[in-house]
Amino acid sequence: MTYKNFTIETDVDGIALVTWDMPGKSMNVLTVEVMDELDTIIDQTVADSVVKGVVITSGKSSFSGGADLSMIKSMFTLQQEEKAKDPAQAVEKLFALTGQMSGLFRKLETCGKPWVSAINGTCMGGAFELSLSCHGRVASNAKSVKIALPEVKVGIFPGAGGTQRVPRLANTQDALQMMTTGSSLSAARAKAMNLLHQVVAPEDLISAAKQMIKDGLKPVAPWDEKGFKVPGGGIWTPASAQLWPAAPAILRRETAGNYPAALAILKCVYEGLQLPFDTALKVEQRYFTHILQTTEAFSMIRSLFISMQELGKGARRPAGVPKAEFRKIGIVGAGFMGASIGYVTAAAGIPVVLIDRDQEAADRGKTVCESLVSGSVAKGRISKEEGEKLLSLITPTPDYAALADADLVIEAVFEDRDVKKAVTEKVEAVLPEGAIYASNTSTLPITGLAKNSSRPAQFIGIHFFSPVEKMMLTEVILGKDTGDKALAVALDYVAAIRKTPIVVNDTRGFYVNRCVFRYIGEAYDMLIEGVPAAMIENAAKMAGMPVGPLSLNDEVAVDLSYKIFNAAIADLGPQSVDPRHMELVTKLVEDGRLGRKSAKGFYDYPPKPAKKRLWPGLKDLYPQQRPEDVDVKVLKERLLVTIALEAARTVEEGIVTDPREADVGSILGFGFAPYTGGTLSYIDGMGVKTFVALCETLAQRYGDHYRPTPLLLDMAAKDESFYGRFDPFGKKAAA
Ligand code: NAD
């Protein structure tokens, strides 16, 4: 029998080697077709008397990324359609669907012949759940082997037996930690947790897996043996009595109750460990069906998986422009940003010329790259040789003539219009005709900067976020005259350095910083109202933000806010800045409280190991409200709503044209409460009508900046959503 996604070779010992290798895909994923084929393979190998046992491995460099989440997305669509017809039946159908993968793995586990999973590379999610249902698990000790059940990161959980098999192998605390964080394990760690039987050299992987079968591996899972005991003795033990009362509290501390899937993992494990295995699987299936119906799961899968992938693959790239090949990229300004941009570019294998005002300044940029490389080598992310190769690609020089054969130049000099103008002219004097010029400005509109260019169609913004080597987002900004080729080249470059782009039109602050400054501005308002600073910071975290607004302001520098205010006043007039905000920021700057860089800002930063703490003097700036008089729920709402409203304004102004970009940009750019799926999904998730009502209530108490915009009012009247009205999947935008 032949299969599309698998090959089977049975050796003289009667061991069938099933190799999973999906045609035309760089990674194996679990699709309906793959599950059907696997089902048939189980039947075929059981029926074939020659076959004594099965080893399953992958023909690709990784084992598998897990379930194809597009399959889950189509389940959402189906569910919505069915729900409109008959809600009760829709849930029943969903329940049946969610049980398919779990049922298939249970069939494998109880098929009567031994199966061994030979894990040759990354093995994630459903693929690890498949491996867990095999009777033996052997992994290669290659560094590339990463094992994880990361479902919680996209709002769901390991619902194909994962929540039942992991805590029947590993101790409960490790099992909960692994599944509620979704973090990756090395093969050695997975073995130490008892999730693998063996870890061997890559070249010995298949023989070791086969040897397990030859050594008489029993085709019975431990939990199907009589007298099986859960590691540590199960729920009713003194150790569990310590663990379980604390577990929900710890989870709440980490997630503030924002992630229903994480809580469902706790419930599955707690309830499941008290039940026979097949009943436990049913319990898991019920919780999974419930979680799939949550707004969080829907929005997170859409933004954090589907949209992110689509944007990464160049959803916004103009068709018809040939793919750019980068023979050399120039970076002008080898400072804080330029040096790291040079590093990520060289890490993508592209030769870089790093230019600064003199050789010494350019060399300083390369020194930054050297320390980034030694950090990566020390952490084992790259080998010493790879590090040396990367550094050999970076040439520091003050000589602009080195740009004569560059395909793209990224400017990262001081944020000063005159300096940028001089650099644009110098670069364009040597740059080849077809090459593209990009500015990494964070505040200056691209259209204005392009006026200094003799070829504005080839001028574009590529806005990086700091730290460049860690932040996954880049904001690509189109000036008024930016042409298709510049956009295509910018997106090809972003793809080459493996970051996710969003493409926005030109405006002061672009998209991400406009939202970020709303967040910080709302915290200024709260401080001025006398809300205790600790409540502001904690409310932000409870709302799902990774960093409180005052802490964030310290990171980006308080004097940067001061400079931005002054620039806005100079360009747009004094009414463009709230005088109370100006007064607050001026006070801090005059006191030398510039943020983390000066060891004091909204926080004090005592020498390590002491931790940062809020500056006690904040209490004296404004008359303080009593904590019990402040409604934390309202603080949380204000912080999220003000950002989401700003995102809606950028859509209304035509800055952001695709809701996917607003959502992905907000999560990757500043960590906007990921469980919401991003700024616009937050609005769509509660419904535009509800959002508008919330804005109106907040506007009455906290000011006109909460007034819903005409677009929102129109959408509320027509009962529309952002993803409906600005449908990114083909239909024309209606605004
Ligand atoms: P920086 O001061 O660390 O670096 C600027 C570099 O430009 C310095 O090395 C300087 O010597 C060099 N330079 C100045 N004039 C030059 C000239 N005429 N020719 C060649 N080199 C020259 O500043 P930075 O923080 O790296 O910011 C650079 C740009 O990136 C700015 O436009 C800034 O707005 C933008 N940006 C900064 C951040 C951030 O977090 N710092 C984030 C995004 C974008």
Side-chain angles (χ1 to χ4, degrees):
M1 211 162 168
T2 57
Y3 299 91
K4 194 167 148 199
N5 302 292
F6 297 90
T7 53
I8 306 183
E9 262 175 85
T10 306
D11 67 12
V12 286
D13 297 316
I15 300 174
L17 179 64
V18 174
T19 305
W20 185 7
D21 196 353
M22 296 172 83
K25 287 211 179 248
S26 58
M27 201 186 245
N28 292 324
V29 284
L30 285 158
T31 60
V32 173
E33 187 184 66
V34 164
M35 291 200 296
D36 285 347
E37 290 194 349
L38 204 51
D39 200 349
T40 316
I41 290 171
I42 298 169
D43 290 339
Q44 184 199 334
T45 49
V46 167
D48 187 342
S49 58
V50 172
V51 174
K52 303 276 176 296
V54 179
V55 170
I56 180 164
T57 191
S58 153
K60 307 206 186 281
S61 59
S62 58
F63 186 86
S64 160
D68 179 6
L69 289 187
S70 326
M71 181 170 82
I72 294 195
K73 194 189 171 205
S74 61
M75 254 149 94
F76 284 129
T77 319
L78 189 77
Q79 169 73 2
Q80 273 162 1
E81 287 165 11
E82 295 280 337
K83 218 170 166 178
K85 287 186 244 156
D86 182 346
Q89 228 195 5
V91 177
E92 262 177 48
K93 280 193 181 161
L94 188 63
F95 182 69
L97 269 177
T98 58
Q100 279 174 359
M101 199 182 286
S102 191
L104 174 66
F105 295 167
R106 185 66 178 144
K107 172 173 169 177
L108 186 158
E109 190 170 61
T110 54
C111 75
K113 287 192 178 171
W115 277 62
V116 179
S117 174
I119 302 170
N120 59 316
T122 292
C123 181
M124 299 276 176
F128 189 55
E129 292 181 290
L130 163 67
S131 301
L132 287 168
S133 69
C134 292
H135 310 95
R137 286 169 293 285
V138 186
S140 133
N141 63 9
K143 253 193 209 143
S144 57
V145 175
K146 292 265 174 292
I147 289 169
L149 293 172
E151 289 86 343
V152 77
K153 290 184 178 169
V154 290
I156 52 175
F157 69 81
T163 67
Q164 299 311 312
R165 292 188 178 94
V166 173
R168 281 173 171 80
L169 292 166
N171 81 57
T172 314
Q173 192 167 353
D174 288 345
L176 291 179
Q177 169 83 9
M178 176 191 186
M179 292 187 288
T180 55
T181 61
S183 51
S184 292
L185 309 174
S186 64
R189 173 72 188 129
K191 166 102 175 26
M193 279 173 67
N194 197 34
L195 298 177
L196 298 176
H197 295 90
Q198 287 179 46
V199 177
V200 298
E203 59 276 17
D204 299 333
L205 183 68
I206 301 302
S207 54
K210 287 186 169 180
Q211 193 60 45
M212 280 189 87
I213 296 172
K214 286 190 230 166
D215 289 346
L217 179 69
K218 251 175 119 177
V220 182
W223 36 91
D224 289 326
E225 298 269 22
K226 239 193 153 80
F228 168 75
K229 285 222 164 38
V230 170
I235 300 295
W236 305 107
T237 62
S240 279
Q242 301 242 336
L243 171 75
W244 280 105
I250 293 170
L251 185 70
R252 199 165 178 85
R253 184 188 66 197
E254 300 301 322
T255 64
N258 289 324
Y259 294 85
L263 186 60
I265 292 171
L266 256 59
K267 293 179 182 176
C268 286
V269 174
Y270 185 78
E271 292 173 34
L273 287 186
Q274 302 178 61
L275 295 167
F277 194 74
D278 286 300
T279 317
L281 285 181
K282 278 272 176 281
V283 167
E284 178 190 80
Q285 191 182 343
R286 278 190 203 288
Y287 279 119
F288 196 63
T289 307
H290 167 70
I291 288 300
L292 272 186
Q293 295 173 81
T294 60
T295 308
E296 288 85 349
F298 176 79
S299 304
M300 284 176 85
I301 287 181
R302 182 171 63 187
S303 292
L304 290 165
F305 184 76
I306 313 261
S307 300
M308 206 139 47
Q309 238 181 26
E310 285 165 353
L311 298 180
K313 280 187 190 153
R316 292 291 307 277
R317 192 185 183 283
V321 182
K323 189 167 181 291
E325 298 289 335
F326 297 105
R327 287 157 302 163
K328 187 196 264 185
I329 288 184
I331 292 159
V332 187
F336 178 67
M337 294 300 284
S340 328
I341 298 171
Y343 169 80
V344 298
T345 308
I350 303 170
V352 173
V353 179
L354 201 51
I355 292 190
D356 210 296
R357 287 178 291 187
D358 50 42
Q359 187 66 47
E360 215 188 331
D363 286 343
R364 270 200 300 275
K366 178 135 185 194
T367 309
V368 171
C369 299
E370 282 161 4
S371 55
L372 287 169
V373 164
S374 40
S376 291
V377 172
K379 284 188 190 120
R381 291 205 184 111
I382 54 173
S383 67
K384 202 160 162 274
E385 295 69 41
E386 286 166 331
E388 279 162 10
K389 175 147 184 282
L390 189 163
L391 288 172
S392 74
L393 291 173
I394 304 175
T395 311
T397 174
D399 185 6
Y400 282 70
L403 301 176
D405 55 350
D407 305 295
L408 168 69
V409 166
I410 300 167
E411 168 275 304
V413 298
F414 297 143
E415 190 75 337
D416 178 299
R417 283 197 177 94
D418 294 335
V419 176
K420 291 206 188 280
K421 178 172 189 291
V423 166
T424 305
E425 287 164 359
K426 268 171 108 169
V427 170
E428 287 191 353
V430 291
L431 202 61
E433 221 171 78
I436 302 301
Y437 186 102
S439 176
N440 176 45
T441 176
S442 39
T443 53
L444 304 169
I446 293 300
T447 308
L449 291 180
K451 293 215 166 84
N452 306 319
S453 167
S454 56
R455 36 192 173 179
Q458 285 154 245
F459 198 105
I460 196 162
I462 304 183
H463 181 210
F464 286 85
F465 296 88
S466 147
V468 176
E469 62 287 358
K470 291 212 182 103
M471 296 293 282
M472 289 309 299
L473 186 73
T474 50
E475 201 172 14
V476 173
I477 302 116
L478 301 174
K480 197 162 71 55
D481 298 318
T482 303
D484 272 1
K485 177 168 176 203
L487 175 58
V489 169
L491 292 178
D492 290 345
Y493 167 66
V494 174
I497 58 169
R498 289 188 286 279
K499 298 210 182 282
T500 305
I502 59 169
V503 181
V504 304
N505 288 316
D506 206 11
T507 179
R508 182 177 285 271
F510 315 128
Y511 168 65
V512 170
N513 283 346
R514 270 181 65 161
C515 292
V516 167
F517 280 100
R518 281 285 169 185
Y519 179 51
I520 292 174
E522 199 57 33
Y524 293 168
D525 274 357
M526 291 174 178
L527 276 179
I528 292 163
E529 290 161 22
V531 176
M535 289 189 82
I536 303 174
E537 295 290 89
N538 287 334
K541 294 214 191 98
M542 289 162 75
M545 300 299 288
V547 183
L550 303 176
S551 182
L552 182 63
N553 202 174
D554 272 2
E555 296 297 330
V556 298
V558 182
D559 56 326
L560 181 66
S561 306
Y562 181 74
K563 282 185 202 149
I564 291 172
F565 284 168
N566 279 318
I569 291 171
D571 291 352
L572 308 170
Q575 77 295 340
S576 61
V577 174
D578 183 333
R580 299 165 316 150
H581 290 188
M582 189 63 170
E583 196 189 347
L584 169 63
V585 167
T586 309
K587 166 110 192 66
L588 268 94
V589 171
E590 280 174 356
D591 287 354
R593 296 198 153 271
L594 309 182
R596 185 189 276 279
K597 64 180 176 182
S598 64
K600 53 183 192 170
F602 288 101
Y603 283 77
D604 284 327
Y605 299 84
K608 281 186 176 165
K611 284 194 176 150
K612 70 175 188 181
R613 52 167 188 263
L614 278 159
W615 172 40
L618 281 174
K619 285 199 207 74
D620 306 322
L621 294 182
Y622 305 97
Q624 294 290 287
Q625 295 186 46
R626 292 186 320 164
E628 52 272 40
D629 294 339
V630 179
D631 188 340
V632 175
K633 181 170 168 279
V634 175
L635 295 184
K636 283 162 54 180
E637 274 169 1
R638 286 173 67 180
L639 291 167
L640 296 189
V641 168
T642 197
I643 300 173
L645 245 176
E646 189 66 11
R649 284 189 200 101
T650 63
V651 174
E652 187 155 7
E653 292 165 26
I655 306 300
V656 173
T657 53
D658 184 327
R660 292 175 296 181
E661 294 181 305
D663 277 345
V664 171
S666 68
I667 297 177
L668 294 188
F670 53 95
F672 184 84
Y675 64 91
T676 62
T679 45
L680 297 184
S681 284
Y682 171 65
I683 302 178
D684 276 2
M686 73 172 83
V688 175
K689 261 191 190 148
T690 311
F691 184 74
V692 162
L694 184 55
C695 289
E696 276 162 352
T697 313
L698 291 173
Q700 275 168 16
R701 281 193 66 188
Y702 302 105
D704 277 348
H705 63 293
Y706 277 112
R707 290 257 167 260
T709 66
L711 170 70
L712 283 165
L713 291 170
D714 187 52
M715 287 173 67
K718 294 178 181 154
D719 208 7
E720 289 177 335
S721 67
F722 279 95
Y723 278 82
R725 178 154 172 162
F726 301 94
D727 182 356
F729 303 102
K731 274 184 251 156
K732 264 249 133 317

